[in-house]
Amino acid sequence: EGELVGFIGPNGAGKTTTLKILSGILHPTAGEVKILGFIPWQRNKKYLRQISLVMGNKEQLWWDLPAIDSFLLNKEIYEIPEDLFRQNLEKLSRMLNIGDILDVQVRKLSLGQRMKAELVLALLHSPRILFLDEPTIGLDVVSQKNVREFLREYNRESRTTIILTSHYMDDIKELAQRVVTIDHGQLIYDGGLDDLIKRYVSE
């Protein structure tokens, strides 16, 4: 609990599929998974209230509405108490520096601003586990840095467990204390990044 894990592997390794199984979107063809005592694809409400999934190439914000409207919708979906909603919204908006764009139509935001708003949306209900699939994809260098700094600080403050996939090794190198590597759906490494580099770069 509270770990920030890098989940890496080549294209087609099964990273996104794994995250979809862990978050209950997909049923596995074989095997078992339990998270927080729940089987994800049974989609128990108590489980879904404790997780969140952000996919860098899939937007959850309503395109034609300002971000605050999507936040308010999630408040109702997750039945977030008013005081907690306001507290989390203020904190997350301050940490990501987007307080001035909450009332701007999502389609008018830059890609970096949209990703920050997606992170706010995903964290308003204070999930215990955050699954991140390529959260910095397509972002410029400054936006990537801002997202990484936020994730590092949020993980440290909230102790939310974060599982992160990324093709940008800077994301993994700067954030992950532990790295899990898969290839064709098979686990090939689980440990520290330095040990992974020593093991494979020298070969």
Side-chain angles (χ1 to χ4, degrees):
E1 188 166 3
E3 270 192 309
L4 204 166
V5 180
F7 188 45
I8 62 176
N11 286 332
K15 300 183 299 296
T16 298
T17 299
T18 301
L19 291 194
K20 286 181 176 179
I21 289 171
L22 297 179
S23 56
I25 295 172
L26 292 180
H27 287 238
T29 52
E32 297 179 355
V33 178
K34 270 199 174 179
I35 304 178
L36 302 174
F38 297 96
I39 297 172
W41 51 92
Q42 291 181 348
R43 301 187 62 77
N44 186 296
K45 285 185 178 180
K46 289 182 180 178
Y47 176 63
L48 298 178
R49 289 176 188 275
Q50 298 183 74
I51 68 164
S52 210
L53 169 66
V54 175
M55 305 181 76
N57 59 356
K58 301 280 187 188
E59 294 182 349
Q60 298 182 78
L61 295 163
W62 287 82
W63 188 249
D64 293 312
L65 299 174
I68 188 64
D69 286 357
S70 292
F71 299 163
L72 289 167
L73 177 61
N74 263 27
K75 173 181 180 291
E76 299 305 317
I77 290 172
Y78 287 97
E79 299 176 345
I80 307 169
E82 179 69 27
D83 56 344
L84 180 61
F85 173 76
R86 292 296 167 191
Q87 177 183 322
N88 285 350
L89 178 60
E90 190 280 328
K91 175 184 176 182
L92 293 165
S93 298
R94 175 174 40 78
M95 290 176 73
L96 284 160
N97 194 29
I98 62 166
D100 58 338
I101 63 164
L102 299 183
D103 294 314
V104 177
Q105 197 177 27
V106 168
R107 65 166 61 247
K108 296 178 181 176
L109 301 178
S110 69
L111 185 58
Q113 289 172 325
R114 289 204 303 272
M115 179 47 64
K116 288 179 178 181
E118 291 279 356
L119 288 167
V120 172
L121 184 71
L123 295 170
L124 281 170
H125 64 288
S126 305
R128 290 176 62 188
I129 302 175
L130 174 62
F131 301 111
L132 294 173
D133 190 30
E134 302 282 357
T136 60
I137 192 167
L139 301 185
D140 59 59
V141 174
V142 173
S143 294
Q144 288 179 24
K145 181 174 180 288
N146 289 339
V147 168
R148 283 196 295 265
E149 288 176 349
F150 165 74
L151 291 174
R152 185 187 302 111
E153 183 180 357
Y154 186 82
N155 171 252
R156 185 176 64 246
E157 284 189 10
S158 70
R159 303 304 298 158
T160 298
T161 301
I162 298 176
I163 300 179
L164 163 72
T165 79
S166 182
H167 282 104
Y168 298 122
M169 282 310 294
D170 281 349
D171 290 349
I172 304 298
K173 184 174 65 177
E174 292 187 27
L175 292 173
Q177 300 108 17
R178 173 182 165 201
V179 177
V180 174
T181 308
I182 64 170
D183 191 14
H184 292 93
Q186 299 297 312
L187 177 69
I188 60 174
Y189 180 81
D190 182 350
L193 181 60
D194 289 343
D195 289 339
L196 176 67
I197 292 170
K198 289 175 187 173
R199 181 181 300 188
Y200 290 100
V201 171
S202 59
E203 292 180 357

